[in-house]
Amino acid sequence: MAEPRFRRPAMLDMEEAEQIEGDIDPADRALIAHETAHAMVSQARASQDPALVERLVKLVDEEGIDTVAMLWSKAEAHTLPGSLWRLYMIREWVKHSGDAVARSYHHGVHAAHVRHAIAGVEDPPGPEEVQRLADTILSGVYSGDLAVALERAGAFCRVVATGVAFEAESDEGHADERAHKTTMRAAQLLRTGEDLETNARMWREERLD
C-alpha cells in the first residue's frame, strides 16, 4: 500500500492564498502557467467528459492549494491562468468560510440585486448555496460558456464586496481595526470581481491568453 502524500494545510483565506510562493523558476513560470491553463481548459472542453470536469473542479482538494499556486498564482490578472487562480481561490474561500461568505453575500444582495441575478446564487443564500455556486462556476469553465462563468464569478465577488463594505461601516467607531481590515477585504473582492468581468469580455473577443 502506497504511503499517503504529505500535504500542507489548505489556505483558508483569499489574502493568505495570495502570499503563497511557488518554487518554479520565475523565467519559466509565465510559460508554464499559460500552457497548463490552456491545456486543461481546451482538453476538458473537447472531451465533454463529466468525470474529468468533476476532477478539475476538485483539483485543489486532490493536489492542495500550493500545487495550484505554483502554476498560476503569479499569472497576470487579465489572463486565463490568472482567471483560473482566482476561481480556485474563490472556491477554497467559500469551502472553508462558507458561513461568513454567505452572511456577507446576504448583506450585499439588496444593494447589488442586478449582480445577484447575474451570479445566480440560490435564495436564500446560505453556505451550501455559495459553495454550490463556486463548483458550478468552475464546471462552466471546463464544460460550458467560459465567459458566462467568469461573469458569474465577477458578479458574486461584487455582491460579497458590497456586503463586506456594509459590515465594515457597521464596525466603524466600535472596532476600528477590524473595520479597516474589512474595508481592505471589500476592496480586494471588488478588484477581483472587476478583473473577472474584464476577462469575460476578453474571452468573447478571443483576447484572453
Side-chain angles (χ1 to χ4, degrees):
M1 180 176 178
E3 294 183 1
R5 288 182 301 169
F6 172 77
R7 182 179 302 154
R8 278 177 280 182
M11 295 298 167
L12 307 186
D13 185 277
M14 290 178 71
E15 292 176 358
E16 292 174 337
E18 287 278 17
Q19 303 305 314
I20 298 174
E21 293 287 345
D23 58 5
I24 298 172
D25 188 323
D28 298 326
R29 184 179 289 122
L31 178 61
I32 293 171
H34 286 270
E35 288 187 345
T36 54
H38 280 279
M40 285 174 55
V41 171
S42 61
Q43 290 176 17
R45 295 172 74 84
S47 74
Q48 293 296 303
D49 180 357
L52 174 59
V53 171
E54 183 177 0
R55 289 199 300 272
L56 290 174
V57 168
K58 297 180 179 179
L59 179 65
V60 174
D61 299 346
E62 298 297 324
E63 301 297 334
I65 191 67
D66 287 14
T67 299
V68 179
M70 284 192 293
L71 291 174
W72 300 327
S73 66
K74 302 305 179 183
E76 295 293 330
H78 298 156
T79 63
L80 184 59
S83 299
L84 292 178
W85 172 238
R86 283 156 179 75
L87 294 180
Y88 279 108
M89 278 203 300
I90 290 169
R91 183 179 184 272
E92 281 297 281
W93 183 42
V94 300
K95 175 183 174 182
H96 293 288
S97 305
D99 288 327
V101 176
R103 181 172 60 250
S104 296
Y105 189 94
H106 176 75
H107 289 155
V109 164
H110 295 298
H113 58 278
V114 173
R115 301 289 180 184
H116 170 51
I118 295 172
V121 176
E122 302 169 45
D123 285 320
E128 292 183 3
E129 286 72 24
V130 295
Q131 290 175 40
R132 275 198 294 271
L133 176 70
D135 283 356
T136 299
I137 286 171
L138 271 170
S139 295
V141 168
Y142 295 116
S143 63
D145 187 324
L146 193 147
V148 170
L150 293 174
E151 284 176 339
R152 293 183 70 185
F156 173 77
C157 288
R158 282 179 175 269
V159 175
V160 178
T162 301
V164 171
F166 168 80
E167 293 161 0
E169 186 175 323
S170 299
D171 278 341
E172 286 183 2
H174 304 285
D176 288 343
E177 182 178 353
R178 184 173 65 187
H180 174 71
K181 291 181 179 179
T182 307
T183 299
M184 296 298 291
R185 182 181 298 277
Q188 179 192 34
L189 282 165
L190 180 60
R191 183 168 61 251
T192 298
E194 291 172 343
D195 286 338
L196 291 169
E197 290 173 349
T198 296
N199 292 352
R201 292 193 297 272
M202 291 176 67
W203 177 262
R204 287 197 172 99
E205 297 167 358
E206 300 183 353
R207 295 191 297 113
L208 189 65
D209 185 20

